[in-house]
Amino acid sequence: MKRKYAKSIIGLFVCLALIISFIFLLSDNFTPISAALSPGSFSIAYTQNDWGTGATVNITITNNDSTAISGWTLKWSFPGNQKITNLWGGSFTQTGTSVTVTNAAYNSTIPANKGKISFGFNISYSGSNNIPTNFELNNVSNIPTTSTVVSPSS
């Protein structure tokens, strides 16, 4: 009796595992390769045109991996009091210095093998406008970042 009961329980767990696997595979929010990505799988280029109390920023994400990424979320914290006033190419939330940007429908896939997507935004600030360095893409942190600042001539 115990042996038959144990086989039934094992069979039930196997069925549940298969059902859960199929649900994840059919889900739009499931990106199975994210767990295998490393910081070198991506790079971030942060370019800003700064005018003293605000700036226009463009961020380009490059996928250095051999597999396309479907759906992305980029997070960072500003080092000062920068506030995003509007953003294009995604949607954002900002709480204090912490920012989260998620893809728009048209740029949700980052193509493989050096494929790129971009988005941009305007910020306002007072004091210094240092560039963030702590980007996290799809829960992968320590992403290599390059930055360019263009300031108007005095």
Side-chain angles (χ1 to χ4, degrees), residues 9-151:
I9 294 294
I10 291 171
L12 178 64
F13 282 118
V14 168
C15 288
L16 283 173
L18 288 172
I19 290 169
I20 291 170
S21 296
F22 284 118
I23 289 170
F24 277 113
L25 289 174
L26 296 175
S27 170
D28 290 337
N29 296 324
F30 183 66
T31 306
I33 74 153
S34 291
L37 296 175
S38 66
S41 297
F42 306 104
S43 59
I44 304 288
Y46 186 103
T47 305
Q48 73 176 8
N49 183 353
D50 191 320
W51 60 83
T53 58
T56 298
V57 177
N58 187 63
I59 293 182
T60 301
I61 303 170
T62 302
N63 179 1
N64 301 315
D65 201 69
S66 60
T67 304
I69 303 302
S70 179
W72 55 267
T73 299
L74 184 66
K75 298 178 183 179
W76 73 88
S77 293
F78 282 119
N81 65 0
Q82 298 96 327
K83 298 281 184 237
I84 295 177
T85 56
N86 67 317
L87 182 138
W88 52 94
S91 59
F92 80 98
T93 59
Q94 181 173 1
T95 305
T97 61
S98 299
V99 177
T100 301
V101 177
T102 54
N103 59 263
Y106 69 87
N107 67 359
S108 64
T109 299
I110 310 173
N113 302 315
K114 306 290 183 192
K116 299 178 181 193
I117 63 90
S118 294
F119 66 93
F121 53 91
N122 291 324
I123 58 171
S124 63
Y125 69 93
S126 61
S128 62
N129 181 21
N130 295 323
I131 293 173
T133 58
N134 55 346
F135 291 94
E136 178 183 297
L137 183 67
N138 288 6
N139 299 316
V140 176
S141 56
N142 300 316
I143 297 174
T145 305
T146 59
S147 60
T148 305
V149 177
V150 178
S151 298

